Amino acid sequence: MKNERKSNIELLRIILMFMILALHANVLSLDFPSVKECIEYPLQSFMRYFNEYLCLGAVNTYVLISGWFGINYKTKGLCNFLFQCLFFSISIFTIFALLGEIELTRINILSSLLLYENAYWFVWSYLILYIFSPVLNGFIQNTKKQTYEKVLIGLFLAQTVIYIFTRCGFYQAGYHPLSFIALYLLARYFRIYGQIPNKYIAISGYFACALINTLLNFLPIYIQHRPTSFTGILFSYTNPLNIAGPLFLLFFFVQLEIKNRVINQVAVSCFAVYLFHCHFCILEHYKSLCLTIFNKYGGILYLVYIVLFMCLTFVIAIIIDKVRIITFNHIWQFVEKRKNVTR
């Protein structure tokens, strides 16, 4: 019998995708609040920073979920993941090319095939994590706890020291596959050996990490009336607070008891939201519309319209992915039948 997905974690996946939409609707679209904005509109600017830090951990949390449950490497799962990525990337590029909205250049074609640097960065880092997961799982199963702890401490110390103190580009602010591997091992460690805090402490820890980041970023600007030099470090995925916060968020959700088929059905397709709005043909339009909404509306009205826009983006991506799922299932069934015939 197939194991039923846990709706508490599936709900978390859905929320994470809304967090990524909100993340890209904020600083990526509007830029950081200027020094003038921080001084003249301190509450609004503070809340923009706070919202950014609340949402920034979505990517790390997504990887931590994989580590918590462990990746069960399967050829079908790998093919499904690659097909989903290519389905969105090629389909969107083809539509924009037919409409004359993008040129058929070598770089654009390579990007649509995920073979150029402006293609989805997350896909390649996660793909490498997926491929290495059997090796990581073997290490986890066969190593002693003390050795495991030494590896974890070494990995996180290295990426913190290397990025924060040397600003070396190797770890790429947490975009590198090695950062994903470290997060995977961290989550597995807590699943196997760790005693997690209760859900009230966990959710408080999540908000506390975002608040500390916000204060570290906002207060120097507000007090000194000039930009801070360490904003890039605070916004890095390797920032220890941006690792602890997502871990607390995961701890909170694993303790919830939720069973809901609708949540499970939606969550199966939620990665499509990232693939849809972060496509190189769409992202600039997404950012432009977010900026237009910000400039045109204020206060509650802005929040209403931006939430509606994010919901529309989410729903469109989910609907498209349901078509992708049907397509993949038909292709996979055909391949399986051909394999059986040739045996």
Side-chain angles (χ1 to χ4, degrees), residues 50-65:
F50 186 56
N51 177 67
E52 190 75 2
Y53 282 115
L54 279 176
C55 297
L56 190 63
V59 171
N60 282 350
T61 309
Y62 209 90
V63 179
L64 287 168
I65 291 172

Side-chain angles (χ1 to χ4, degrees), residues 24-245:
H24 294 162
N26 191 6
V27 166
L28 187 65
S29 299
L30 315 178
D31 207 349
F32 293 101
S34 65
V35 174
K36 184 179 179 182
E37 286 176 314
C38 289
I39 295 168
E40 294 181 359
Y41 308 101
L43 181 59
Q44 183 189 58
S45 300
F46 182 89
M47 290 309 298
R48 280 185 57 197
Y49 273 113
F50 186 56
N51 177 67
E52 190 75 2
Y53 282 115
L54 279 176
C55 297
L56 190 63
V59 171
N60 282 350
T61 309
Y62 209 90
V63 179
L64 287 168
I65 291 172
S66 296
W68 184 264
F69 291 100
I71 294 173
N72 184 14
Y73 185 99
K74 292 181 180 179
T75 303
K76 183 180 179 180
L78 179 60
C79 291
N80 187 35
F81 178 71
L82 287 172
F83 182 81
Q84 184 183 33
C85 298
L86 289 169
F87 179 89
F88 273 86
S89 187
I90 295 172
S91 298
I92 294 170
F93 174 72
T94 301
I95 291 169
F96 272 74
L98 290 173
L99 293 173
E101 293 293 324
I102 192 166
E103 296 179 2
L104 287 171
T105 63
R106 175 178 170 273
I107 290 175
N108 287 337
I109 293 170
L110 288 175
S111 295
S112 73
L113 298 173
L114 311 181
L115 298 174
Y116 196 70
E117 61 185 358
N118 69 336
Y120 312 107
W121 71 268
F122 181 92
V123 169
W124 284 109
S125 290
Y126 192 82
L127 180 63
I128 291 171
L129 171 64
Y130 193 97
I131 291 169
F132 271 88
S133 62
V135 178
L136 298 175
N137 293 338
F139 165 77
I140 293 165
Q141 292 167 9
N142 296 298
T143 194
K144 294 180 181 179
K145 183 182 177 184
Q146 288 182 329
T147 305
Y148 197 160
E149 290 171 347
K150 288 177 182 178
V151 170
L152 276 177
I153 292 169
L155 281 172
F156 284 105
L157 268 179
Q159 76 170 12
T160 301
V161 171
I162 288 173
Y163 184 75
I164 293 180
F165 295 102
T166 70
R167 302 306 296 272
C168 174
F170 175 73
Y171 276 96
Q172 301 171 340
Y175 293 75
H176 196 276
L178 195 55
S179 293
F180 279 34
I181 289 171
L183 290 170
Y184 182 88
L185 291 174
L186 180 66
R188 290 302 294 158
Y189 176 85
F190 277 101
R191 179 70 187 273
I192 298 169
Y193 301 110
Q195 292 184 338
I196 67 174
N198 69 56
K199 59 186 178 184
Y200 301 107
I201 294 175
I203 197 65
S204 299
Y206 164 66
F207 281 101
C209 288
L211 181 60
I212 293 168
N213 267 332
T214 304
L215 291 171
L216 289 173
N217 207 151
F218 177 80
L219 286 180
I221 299 173
Y222 185 72
I223 295 170
Q224 299 175 10
H225 293 190
R226 59 185 176 85
T228 61
S229 59
F230 50 83
T231 296
I233 294 173
L234 291 173
F235 272 92
S236 164
Y237 289 121
T238 60
N239 173 357
L241 288 169
N242 293 334
I243 295 170

